[in-house]
Amino acid sequence: GNRIMVLASDIRDAAVLEVQSYASYARLPASVKLMDLEANLALLKVENDAFFRDLLPLPFAPRDPAPGQEVTAVKVDGVFRVYRARVRIKEVNATADYGFTYLPSTVFRSSEPFRGGGVLLCEERHLCGFIGYSDQEKLAESLPPSGFSAFHQRAQAPVYSGFASQGVALERLVD
């Protein structure tokens, strides 16, 4: 539908949004169609249909990657160099990155740091994660397909319903 799904954390404070295709160095303006900080996802719209002419969307993986599963972590830098690494999913956690909604996230360790983000590919052709965080020890977290598939389905509705939130935060106390 001429939209691009990205992490909301990557664009939430942006004053100007521009997109660039691998086939051209031209930058085109983009606008936010929908942003959900609880899910850390956003949809960008590009008015120029020619931008999408030679692009193929990555299909979502049918299920979340499981602990122990090997996937491919991929990132593209500012000059279109592609970095790939085979990684093994270490664990699946429930996290609330920006609010109160706990959503699943997959955790993996890699030899290559993914501080600038990236994606996880299952079977080399299905999107199975948006890499949202990577620390100094090269431990990274990604949003799995269950989260971005639910966001994508809800974005198709006439009114976006968002994700359920319990409305309170719980914290363990030492005593």
Side-chain angles (χ1 to χ4, degrees):
N2 291 0
R3 294 167 299 168
I4 303 168
M5 189 181 296
V6 297
L7 293 174
S9 57
D10 288 344
I11 64 163
R12 71 180 180 168
D13 295 326
V16 175
L17 289 173
E18 294 178 324
V19 295
Q20 185 176 357
S21 168
Y22 69 91
S24 169
Y25 286 104
R27 293 179 181 223
L28 297 174
S31 59
V32 177
K33 179 176 186 284
L34 177 64
M35 184 183 311
D36 187 329
L37 291 175
E38 290 282 329
N40 193 17
L41 290 167
L43 284 176
L44 300 181
K45 184 167 178 61
V46 180
E47 296 298 331
N48 187 340
D49 291 340
F51 177 80
F52 295 96
R53 184 177 31 236
D54 58 353
L55 299 179
L56 297 173
L58 282 172
F60 296 159
R63 67 190 73 70
D64 291 357
Q69 181 178 347
E70 267 198 14
V71 298
T72 302
V74 180
K75 71 177 181 177
V76 181
D77 69 12
V79 290
F80 299 113
R81 288 182 297 209
V82 178
Y83 298 90
R84 299 167 53 105
R86 289 296 287 173
V87 299
R88 186 176 306 277
I89 301 300
K90 183 178 181 221
E91 60 189 49
V92 176
N93 293 330
T95 60
D97 286 340
Y98 292 97
F100 298 111
T101 306
Y102 282 84
L103 296 171
S105 71
T106 54
V107 178
F108 66 91
R109 188 176 300 280
S110 68
S111 58
E112 178 72 32
F114 283 85
R115 283 188 286 279
V119 296
L120 293 182
L121 299 177
C122 293
E123 302 163 10
E124 303 297 323
R125 63 183 184 274
H126 288 96
L127 182 64
C128 63
F130 282 107
I131 302 170
Y133 172 76
S134 182
D135 64 15
Q136 298 297 336
E137 284 78 41
K138 299 176 184 168
L139 189 69
E141 289 184 0
S142 71
L143 297 171
S146 59
F148 51 79
S149 292
F151 172 76
H152 184 257
Q153 287 173 348
R154 292 171 185 182
Q156 306 305 314
V159 176
Y160 180 68
S161 62
F163 287 82
S165 170
Q166 64 187 6
V168 296
L170 303 176
E171 185 175 325
R172 292 178 185 239
L173 298 177
V174 175
D175 57 355

